[in-house]
Amino acid sequence: MTPSPAPPPDPSARQAALLAPGREQQRRAAMLSVLGGLIWPLQAAVVAWAIGHLLAGTGASPLLAAVAFGGLGICRAALACLAEAQAQAAAEAIIAQARGALIASEARRAGDSPFGGAGSVAALAGEKLELLGPYVARYAPARARVMVLPVVILALAAWQSWAVGVVLLISGPLIPVFMALVGLAAKEASARQMTQIGTLNDGLVERLSALVDIRLLGAGDAVAGGFRRQAGDLRRRTMAVLGVAFLSSTVLELFAAIGVAMVAVYVGFSLLGALGFGAWGGSLTPEAGIFLLLLAPEFFQPLRDLSVAWHDKAAASAVMDELAAHGAEEGVALPGTGGPAARLAGPASLHLRGCVTPSGRPLPDIVIAAGERVALVGASGTGKTSALRLMAGLELPPQGRVLVAGQALTPEMADAWRARLGWMPQAPHFLTGSLRQNLTLGRAGDLSDALASAAIGAVVEALPQGLSTRLGETGAGLSGGEARRITLARAVFGSPDVLLADEPTADLDPLTARLVTEGLLAQADRGVTLVIATHDRTLAARMDRIIDLGDGT
């Protein structure tokens, strides 16, 4: 019995792992961004000192103040540029790592993805992952500034005037509280938008694959109308996300404007002598008043930046939730790496012992000797395809053992075992590449014997560019029988020791079925272990042995 899988990590752990590749760069970006923000109080102090001395008539040097202010400004701009470069590098590293992991996971998948169709996965790997960039480059540094700069500015303001400190202390926390409330709605709206994008992409892939049938049935207008409705729904969801973002920014600006106005009113009336409280040990000096007026807007600026990036966080959170859902899905992963490997030594024998299908249906014990020809028959749903996939090492049984070449099949040896196999699936599937690439799958060798075994040489010569003709995923330009024979040629290329064929003659005309049958038997005649799953009793009768899996009850 195979060990039960370990429970998947929680979403927060997955998000931490997702952001790990650029962690050090994110820290540097946050530190540089905070240091750049801390320069402004120094610039404000220089300006307040210069204007205060001019008003007092003590003769401050304008040139010295300008040089100090400009030098600090250059340092601030340099730190901002360095912080932005580090944040952008972190974002690129995180996106590249996440995309690579997603593509590797899909490449090793042994069956359909429970997450969604090809459109959903492509949307996640493409446009959705790019939404992590603004989150890392803008939101993360803004959050670091919010954690430091308002506290420092509040302390400096309270040092000059406790009244101004009270104003900032009251008005400041209202902003993050409201942003948190709006953030809940923003995340939900973004999640709905992300889901709709995936659904729309899935629908587009399905309609494109069935484009010929749609045109033959005259259903073009109905399909186009459906897409218009879906696109309209996505547009409304997108506007809902933008509406939440604009609402957050509007309320933030309102609170910030009120806070700055209250500080300005207090400073103005204090300098006019109308207010005699709020300053430590006496009245407010012009230098302190100017310093406070320059600090007040900067107290709210990090919160403004965070609000602008709040939509980036909502969109990125929705994407990270999708990535977490993709990582937690219970799909069947391909044992091994799926890469090339040296052939496993030993006889080309197969043995299923106490195995059950992924759906839980028990399979009979099956023993197939090297060089034997065996047909698996039975009603639909009895496990013929599942048995073939277990023999091919495309899956491991949830219960029982698979023995190949006289030893138990494990994930570590799956690649070496599959190197000895030829696989002919029930539904032909091709890479979006040339016919030669589809036949060789990157392996070197002469194709003439494989084409002759499948009786497909004349068909290849009739194609516009022969072996260089590019095929779509469904084998565009090939009939069903031709596509089936191409898969046979691919299966026998490289002289496999074991050939597994799933319904090789299904839905074929008698002539094509005879050609495929003769091609399979020719491989058996040279000593290949041949196992077929079929409903074709004529084909089954030509095998050495028939294993009946039952009637499905």
Side-chain angles (χ1 to χ4, degrees), residues 1-2 352-365 382-383 386-387 390 395-402:
M1 180 181 298
T2 57
L352 302 187
R353 180 186 298 168
C355 293
V356 299
T357 67
S359 62
R361 181 179 179 84
L363 292 171
D365 286 357
T382 54
S386 295
L390 292 176
E395 299 175 9
L396 292 178
Q399 180 179 327
R401 298 176 64 195
V402 179

Side-chain angles (χ1 to χ4, degrees), residues 1-369:
M1 180 181 298
T2 57
S4 58
D10 59 88
S12 60
R14 289 197 191 94
Q15 291 187 8
L18 173 66
L19 300 176
R23 184 73 66 190
E24 187 59 34
Q25 292 165 316
Q26 292 178 70
R27 289 196 189 98
R28 287 197 293 265
M31 180 183 67
L32 292 170
S33 181
V34 170
L35 289 176
L38 290 174
I39 291 179
W40 174 250
L42 299 177
Q43 291 181 286
V46 169
V47 173
W49 172 79
I51 296 178
H53 279 70
L54 287 175
L55 293 176
T58 56
S61 172
L63 179 60
L64 178 61
V67 170
F69 185 85
L72 290 172
I74 291 174
C75 291
R76 187 182 184 188
L79 288 172
C81 289
L82 290 174
E84 184 176 349
Q86 290 291 319
Q88 190 61 39
E92 292 174 358
I94 289 170
I95 292 173
Q97 175 74 14
R99 181 172 290 134
L102 180 63
I103 293 174
S105 173
E106 288 299 318
R108 293 185 61 246
R109 190 175 301 283
D112 294 335
S113 171
F115 174 78
S120 292
V121 175
L124 180 58
E127 58 186 302
K128 292 185 184 181
L129 274 183
E130 292 297 329
L131 296 176
L132 296 178
Y135 167 73
V136 176
R138 290 202 294 260
Y139 178 80
R143 183 179 57 185
R145 292 195 298 272
V146 164
M147 295 173 65
V148 176
L149 298 184
V151 176
V152 173
I153 293 175
L154 177 62
L156 292 173
W159 178 49
Q160 297 293 329
S161 168
W162 61 263
V164 172
V166 170
V167 170
L168 297 181
L169 187 61
I170 293 175
S171 60
L174 294 176
I175 297 172
V177 169
F178 183 80
M179 286 174 60
L181 296 175
V182 174
L184 297 176
K187 182 177 180 180
E188 292 177 0
S190 295
R192 290 192 294 268
Q193 182 197 29
M194 295 295 109
T195 301
Q196 185 65 22
I197 289 174
T199 301
L200 191 61
N201 275 272
D202 271 345
L204 179 60
V205 170
E206 291 175 359
R207 301 308 186 276
L208 288 176
S209 63
L211 190 58
V212 174
D213 295 331
I214 291 172
R215 295 185 63 182
L216 289 175
L217 295 172
D221 292 340
V223 172
F227 270 112
R228 278 194 297 270
R229 289 190 295 273
Q230 288 182 298
D233 187 37
L234 177 60
R235 184 166 53 249
R236 287 189 293 272
R237 294 183 187 277
T238 302
M239 293 307 297
V241 173
L242 293 177
V244 172
F246 286 134
L247 175 62
S248 175
S249 298
T250 300
V251 174
L252 171 77
E253 292 298 329
L254 174 63
F255 282 118
I258 292 174
V260 172
M262 291 178 65
V263 172
V265 168
Y266 167 77
V267 170
F269 279 104
S270 295
L271 294 179
L272 291 174
L275 295 176
F277 68 90
W280 301 103
S283 60
L284 195 68
T285 65
E287 184 175 340
I290 294 171
F291 183 62
L292 291 171
L293 287 175
L294 292 173
L295 283 184
E298 201 65 20
F299 174 81
F300 294 100
Q301 188 57 48
L303 296 172
R304 285 193 181 98
D305 296 339
L306 192 65
S307 176
V308 171
W310 195 259
H311 173 65
D312 298 330
K313 177 184 182 297
S317 295
V319 173
M320 286 189 284
D321 286 345
E322 284 203 25
L323 286 172
H326 180 273
E329 66 189 11
E330 296 181 356
V332 179
L334 181 71
T337 65
R343 294 192 175 198
L344 182 69
S349 59
L350 296 159
H351 184 185
L352 302 187
R353 180 186 298 168
C355 293
V356 299
T357 67
S359 62
R361 181 179 179 84
L363 292 171
D365 286 357
I366 299 174
V367 179
I368 299 174

